[in-house]
Amino acid sequence: MRAKKKIALVGAGLIGRRHFDVMRKLDDDIIIDSIVDPSEAGQDFAKSRHIPWYPSIGDMILASSPDGAVLATPNQVHVVNGVECVNAGIPILVEKPIATSCSAAEELVKAAADNDVPVLVGHHRRHNPWICRAKEMIKSGGLGRVTSVHGSFWLYKPEDYFEQEWRRKDGGGPIMVNLIHDIDLLRYLCGEIEMVQAISSNKERGFETEDTAVAMIAFKSGALCSFNLSDTIVAPWSWELTASENPEYPATSQSCYMIGGTRASLSIPDMKVWSHGEHGHWKEPIHAKSVSEPKRDPLLLQMKHFIDVIRKEAEPIVSAQDAVESLRAVESIKLSALQNRPVYLHEKQT
Ligand SMILES: NC(=O)c1ccc[n+]([C@@H]2O[C@H](COP(=O)([O-])OP(=O)(O)OC[C@H]3O[C@@H](n4cnc5c(N)ncnc54)[C@H](O)[C@@H]3O)[C@@H](O)[C@H]2O)c1
């Protein structure tokens, strides 16, 4: 049996506790080294699980030497936490988004490169077997050339969600909080994004941040995408309400992405491939074939991958630089809506 890896959990809040449960399930590979969380709740959690507790990463590093750290802390401290770990030679799995802005992320990207320490970013949906299957199908040409994509994030958030002030302020809306997940998947499936053009509205809730937006996206491959998002619509068409990844959101059997190719189209996550008969056009009946994969927990698969990364048996599926590009796309969508113009992702800033 191979040696287990010692992992520190930094941030024992909502998602940190889910990572904790996942690590417990992987006890053939992982020893939970410590919990770092300055809050009383974090300390109590560590105590109740009989795990060494530290108030800061600095204290943890002085007392222990983990093989890796999971950073499940607020977005604002991802960079400072991440830099501290990689400077100490500790590989990290840092939650998404990698930083609050692309410029802020640069410090972490550089520190990781300078120290040659791997960073895996927690865009966990990429580890979902349905997404892996979709990626394979697209790559192998099973859909023909992908011409266009339609995506939807429509759901209704309850009023108490907005009790926390940051969720009503600029940056706390569905573009930065939710769309970043969808954009990361679309980049994974369809390649890099060249240009975006978006409009947004805050008419329904009247907060500083948007509640609804529509984005047009042009991929470098030439494929296009329309993405429609709102947290004020009662509807089943979002990843959250279709993928059954999180038990807090009761799932439906609907889909939220339609990937359209010249030979077939694929709806995700119901994983139906639609195609015609031998001539492949609209005058023939169109049929759906299911290409579904057995459901597995992507957080658990992500953690297994992190162990492989620590063992140097795999490169991170979502590297720091890769995650910066997803962040750049959502920042550009926000900018486009604000300035009412197309935004090229790598345009020179004036
Ligand atoms: N992958 C996903 O689907 C997903 C879901 C939810 C949240 N997230 C991300 O996970 C991160 C945490 O979100 P959350 O909802 O769990 O937040 P949370 O507020 O529930 O938990 C954050 C925890 O970090 C602790 N903390 C704060 N500063 C710290 C520091 N400097 N060092 C150590 N601990 C510190 C807090 O005390 C708290 O316990 C965010 O980046 C969020 O975007 C990802």
Side-chain angles (χ1 to χ4, degrees), residues 10-19 36-39 41-42 54-57 71-78 80-81 95-97 122-125 167 181 245-246 299 302:
V10 183
L14 218 66
I15 194 82
R17 291 176 193 214
R18 290 188 65 205
H19 287 305
V36 178
D37 190 319
S39 72
Y54 304 101
S56 71
I57 293 177
L71 308 186
T73 49
N75 302 350
Q76 294 78 0
V77 291
H78 287 176
V80 64
N81 290 165
E95 264 304 339
K96 51 54 64 180
H123 285 289
H124 68 273
R125 293 181 188 178
R167 292 183 164 146
H181 280 297
E245 278 184 353
N246 185 337
L299 278 186
Q302 176 178 257

Side-chain angles (χ1 to χ4, degrees), residues 9 12 17 20 35 40-50:
L9 174 64
R17 291 176 193 214
F20 183 91
I35 289 177
E40 207 179 313
Q43 185 173 12
D44 289 347
F45 180 76
K47 209 166 159 189
S48 69
R49 266 65 177 181
H50 310 289

Side-chain angles (χ1 to χ4, degrees), residues 23 38 42 45 60 63 121 126 131 141 207 216 220 241 307 326:
M23 288 196 273
F45 180 76
M60 181 268 285
V121 183
R126 288 202 201 182
I131 293 300
F207 296 148
M216 293 186 294
K220 284 190 175 160
L241 297 194
I307 297 301
S326 292

